[in-house]
Structure formats: structure tokens, C-alpha cells
Amino acid sequence: MCAVGGPPDMGDTESFFPTEYKCKDCDHKFKGTGVDPRCPTCQSQNVKRGK
Ligand SMILES: [Zn+2]
């Protein structure tokens, strides 16, 4: 019989989970994964989490 191997324990996965952000300056939507999200278009940090 085959043993069921689950995914390896990733530990803290929350910081790795991509979150969608929206730039308030240029309305560009992007996905960030860090704690310091920054708009890739205008480099602004004036962003908010959005879906
Ligand atoms: Zn922007």
C-alpha cells in the first residue's frame, strides 16, 4: 500500500500568500506577497488591499 504523503510543513504560509492590492495613485492592481507592498508601475506605497 502506498502511504499518503501530505505536503511538507511550510510553517508560516500567511506571509507567503499573495494578496491583491490596488494602487491609490495610478489605480494599478497587482499582487504582493510581502509586508511592504509597492506598486510596480509607479513605485508608490500608497496602496490598499483589495479584491
Ligand atoms: Zn501605482
Side-chain angles (χ1 to χ4, degrees), residues 11-24:
D12 184 14
T13 55
E14 232 174 282
S15 59
F16 182 76
F17 204 81
T19 307
E20 197 160 285
Y21 294 92
K22 183 179 179 184
C23 178
K24 291 181 182 179

Side-chain angles (χ1 to χ4, degrees), residues 23 25-26 28 39 41-42 44:
C23 178
D25 288 348
C26 71
H28 180 74
C39 176
T41 300
C42 67
S44 172

